[in-house]
Amino acid sequence: MARIRFFPPSSAPSLAEVASWCGATLAVDADPSRAISDVAPLDQAGPGDLTFLDNPRYLDALKRTRAAAALVAPRYATAGPASCAALIVREPYRAMALVMTRLFPSAIKPGSVFGEIGISPTASVHPTARLEAGVIVDPGAVIGGGAEIGARTIIGANVVIGPEVRIGRDGSVGASTTIMAALIGDRVIIHPGAHIGQDGFGFALGPRGHLKVPQIGRVIIQDDVEIGAGVTIDRGANRDTVIGEGAKIDNLVQIGHNVLIGRHAVLVAQSGVSGSSAIGDFAALGGQAGIAGHLTIGAGAQVAAAAGVMTDVPAGERWAGAPAKPVREFFREVAAIKRLAAGGARGEANAE
């Protein structure tokens, strides 16, 4: 079987061009005209590849790399082999991201599976829907009455967009996504299989059964948000569910009704936020973290993976554990349990 490259580089820039893309400074002995044909990890890079060092744990790999050039922090400018030109920059990982954005533009967001230009003849677009210039709609997509989609946005195969939904410009909606009762800003990336604007989980519980409460709110997603594959975002019950500007939501995250996600917050895979809770600006939830309902996670707070949060978390604090608590308190408890366990083991050994 022939080797398939799904994301081939779009050009072969010189080191001088690479440096200009990311604000790096070339080492004095580097050849600015040397071409870069691809990117690769330190241990896999070859003579035409660009690589980077961001974590000192991989310093030995930098010393052995066969790469043509490496993005490195100033302190590691001379750590690589003579054959590897140093591009010196304060944040190598960020610089690598800037370079890869230029080299692999098709990998930034889901594109048209069929390479469509315009609206596929097999898509179903309601006559009252309004699509601006340059919108691409793949086969099987359904766009409801009164919906509006901004210029250059891509709608993937089998996407369903409900009546009156608004989606801004330069966005991307991955295949098999459903969007209802939502207002979405510009440059929003939604990966395949996300579901946005469905009912929130609302019931009036009682001994005679559980009465469904109509969910009449919306989902509002601000500019530059990225939503991973399989994410579910419930619409509000009697107010709106809001995802703030620049928030990044990983795959398989659940966001309940009336939740407020702050600007540039980060929610890692399989985390969940129960109804009416608020996540502050630049806060971060680790994988599988769970937030109970009606809580506030303060701005810049960090919640560790698999934590179970049952009380408010103050701004800027780091919490871990289940039930979650300040991280220092959590580690003290873990250490105490280890000491108790070790003492018990010694006692059992002495008894024998």
Side-chain angles (χ1 to χ4, degrees), residues 130-135 148-154 167-171:
R130 179 171 174 265
L131 279 59
E132 291 186 343
V135 170
E148 296 184 6
I149 301 174
R152 299 172 299 280
T153 287
I154 300 169
I167 300 175
R169 294 170 177 154
D170 297 301

Side-chain angles (χ1 to χ4, degrees), residues 47 75 140 186 256:
R75 63 189 295 189
D186 295 336

